[in-house]
Amino acid sequence: MGILKQGDCADVQRVGIPRALLYYRYGTLWETFFGELGREVVLSRPTDRALMEAGEALSVDECCLASKTYLGHAESLLDSCDALFVPSMGNLGRRKGFCTKFQALPDLVANTFRDRGVRVASCLADAVEGRSSLRDAFLELGGCFGASPHEAKRAWRSALHAQERADRAAAGAQERLLASLAATQGAGRPLAILLVAHPYLAHDPYLGGSVVDPLERLGATVLYADEADHERALKASFDFSATMPWVVNRELIGAILLLHERIDDIVLVSAFPCGPDSMTDDAIMRCIQGKPILNLTIDAQSGTAGLETRIESFVDILRYQKKGGYVHG
Ligand code: SF4
């Protein structure tokens, strides 16, 4: 994929955004930015089995389930947009890196759909090596879409504020839920389970739904580690590790530390095979004391039956424990 230059995407009117991976972290920012530039955003439909299987067929076996699913989303948009938006996310600074998959994603998409005439609109956030912050990346992207520097700055500011508002609303709603749980004492209080997963698993109705739905059916209240205040969680993560390189994993671990006293149990969910999670989940299992932890991996083959059985057993054990039963943490 060539490097985008000023005005390269000026003719693009319909921007396709796969509803997967970092869409679940930055979706509001992306949609607002393109809306401010007067573009129509076309989102892929929520994940379903067909999209996941299409992505799997397009991917090499070694890819994780989340990135395989992304390709299914990307393919579903090819005929309904002028260009796909696929940012390259390297890092937001030192110790704030993204999984390498996110840096390579524009090339992966361009090469996978090379024969189908795909256009990829991209930008690079790499504050360490490339000295390009997320803001710089979007200002440059605005230029590629034909916006003046002033228009690009205005679009960036609106987009950033919209994303910050959305993040604050999610964190605020979760705080209120935690407060209402704390106010409900005794046997009537539902289990408060912290789901620790990348946002594109936790909030994807098909991938994360295979864990969240059974937990909720069993009467548990699910809280999301990725909805804790990102800055506070990131800061807290340095008490856990000074060297961990990935920003999202840092925020998830920081959220466990922040919420530890306010939750009953932890469910870790990873996509198979995830490099960052294989390290951090192991560290969490070894180092986080005093809370039962269930570690689940989602892959394309296993389906949901095995997951449901493990979740049911976990919740049964927790209820015995809560009643003062035979398990002692
Ligand atoms: S962090 Fe894990 S699940 Fe996410 S893209 Fe990277 S390998 Fe895949």
Side-chain angles (χ1 to χ4, degrees), residues 196-218:
V196 180
H198 290 268
Y200 40 86
L201 296 179
H203 303 285
D204 183 293
Y206 186 75
L207 301 178
S210 61
V211 175
V212 173
D213 296 348
L215 282 171
E216 290 185 338
R217 269 200 304 276
L218 292 164

Side-chain angles (χ1 to χ4, degrees), residues 67-124:
S67 57
K68 286 177 178 170
T69 305
Y70 181 92
L71 287 182
H73 281 271
E75 184 185 45
S76 76
L77 290 167
L78 290 180
D79 296 330
S80 51
C81 65
D82 303 321
L84 289 175
F85 174 57
V86 189
S88 174
M89 299 294 289
N91 60 71
L92 302 174
R94 286 190 68 71
R95 308 279 179 237
K96 295 188 208 170
F98 288 95
C99 165
T100 49
K101 295 265 184 333
F102 297 128
Q103 197 158 1
L105 210 52
D107 289 320
L108 181 68
V109 170
N111 284 314
T112 303
F113 303 113
R114 194 177 41 224
D115 299 336
R116 296 172 67 177
V118 68
R119 278 179 83 184
V120 175
S122 190
C123 58
L124 170 67

Side-chain angles (χ1 to χ4, degrees), residues 21 63-67 98-102 198 200-201 246 249 270-277:
L21 292 182
C63 282
C64 66
L65 178 65
S67 57
F98 288 95
C99 165
T100 49
K101 295 265 184 333
F102 297 128
H198 290 268
Y200 40 86
L201 296 179
W246 306 290
N249 291 80
S270 292
F272 180 80
C274 174
D277 285 4

Side-chain angles (χ1 to χ4, degrees), residues 127-149:
V128 178
E129 298 278 320
R131 299 202 161 71
S132 172
S133 65
L134 193 59
R135 176 181 182 274
D136 297 336
F138 273 81
L139 296 190
E140 200 169 327
L141 182 68
C144 295
F145 276 78
S148 68

Side-chain angles (χ1 to χ4, degrees), residues 7-15 39 81-83 119 143-146:
D8 271 0
C9 289
D11 62 319
V12 169
Q13 287 307 318
R14 287 173 308 161
V15 181
R39 290 341 199 256
C81 65
D82 303 321
R119 278 179 83 184
C144 295
F145 276 78

